[in-house]
Amino acid sequence: MLSERQETILQIVKENSPITGQHIANRLHVTRAALRSDLAILTMLGLIDARPKLGYFFTGNKEKDLLSRAITDITIDSCLSQPVIVGEHTSAYDAIIAMFTEDVGTVFVGTDNILAGVVSRKDLLKTAMGSNDLRALPVRMVMTPVSKVIYAQPEEKAIVAAQRLIEYEIDCLPIVEVKGTDEDDKKELKVLGRISKTNITRLFVECGLGRR
């Protein structure tokens, strides 16, 4: 389902086509950057379209657009991939090897599938550009700690995962089972899989070809 803001944007575009992203932002009293992920989702769903120098146009009827309905009905657990997990004491060098071996852009750090952090290609590249000994540097010194990791759960919609990838400008999300609550010091995130921009692209292609 679309968020309340996305519904509002859709209505604004429908009533005022063509309209620029800046004019939409002005109506909602937010910055243009704040709307980037919402506009991207609406465009991917085929509900609006953008034309250079003109702005956004309304192109679809949400109730009749079968492709949009197909995409928004798909849950994450039906399109995730296997996670690549390394231990906290793994060296940054071995984490790079794992990335190349498994052909992924992000590896998760943890023990017994309990997430401790996430390491991306960008993290390792920045570390490699310094004067660090990658063979001696534990990956936990490079990773984004679990407290700052953006994740999703398997029962959530795939479109929600796509929106988080865009909004936070990341390439991959860990898909987790949450054990405990935010108020619980023993809260744990058990890794079940991952979803990346590649997964989302494949999903949209399959929907467009009628394979889902």
Side-chain angles (χ1 to χ4, degrees), residues 2-193:
L2 298 180
S3 69
E4 182 177 347
R5 185 160 74 179
Q6 288 164 359
E7 294 275 11
T8 302
I9 293 171
L10 193 60
Q11 190 63 32
I12 290 173
V13 175
K14 185 176 182 179
E15 295 175 354
N16 300 277
S17 296
I19 183 171
T20 66
Q22 187 58 58
H23 284 142
I24 297 172
N26 292 343
R27 283 173 175 255
L28 295 175
H29 306 293
V30 297
T31 64
R32 172 69 176 82
L35 295 182
R36 179 170 52 190
S37 63
D38 295 311
L39 291 170
I41 292 297
L42 292 173
T43 302
M44 285 191 294
L45 288 175
L47 300 177
I48 63 174
D49 194 12
R51 297 180 186 176
K53 299 182 180 181
L54 291 177
Y56 291 92
F57 290 79
F58 179 78
T59 59
N61 185 312
K62 187 183 65 172
E63 296 302 321
K64 296 181 181 179
D65 189 334
L66 297 180
L67 176 59
S68 299
R69 291 174 64 183
I71 292 175
T72 54
D73 284 344
I74 295 171
T75 53
I76 289 172
D77 59 1
S78 69
C79 56
L80 51 75
S81 297
Q82 287 294 318
V84 178
I85 305 175
V86 298
E88 294 184 58
H89 299 291
T90 301
S91 69
Y93 178 84
D94 286 335
I96 294 173
I97 297 300
M99 279 188 178
F100 277 99
T101 302
E102 300 294 337
D103 192 23
V104 295
T106 303
V107 296
F108 304 146
V109 182
T111 304
D112 296 328
N113 282 14
I114 301 301
L115 189 66
V118 171
V119 179
S120 69
R121 283 176 293 193
K122 185 183 296 184
D123 296 324
L124 292 170
L125 178 59
K126 287 191 295 186
T127 303
M129 292 174 66
S131 56
N132 300 290
D133 181 355
L134 298 183
R135 294 179 183 271
L137 185 68
V139 73
R140 68 175 183 274
M141 302 298 293
V142 181
M143 71 183 187
T144 298
V146 66
S147 61
K148 297 181 179 179
V149 169
I150 307 301
Y151 61 85
Q153 298 181 67
E155 67 273 11
E156 292 186 274
K157 301 296 186 182
I159 197 71
V160 171
Q163 188 165 12
R164 287 179 191 160
L165 290 171
I166 295 169
E167 181 177 355
Y168 293 98
E169 298 181 349
I170 51 181
D171 293 328
C172 180
L173 288 173
I175 308 306
V176 304
E177 175 187 352
V178 180
K179 297 185 175 183
T181 66
D182 290 334
E183 294 77 21
D184 186 356
D185 291 337
K186 296 182 179 180
K187 174 183 174 181
E188 293 181 335
L189 303 181
K190 181 180 180 180
V191 179
L192 304 177

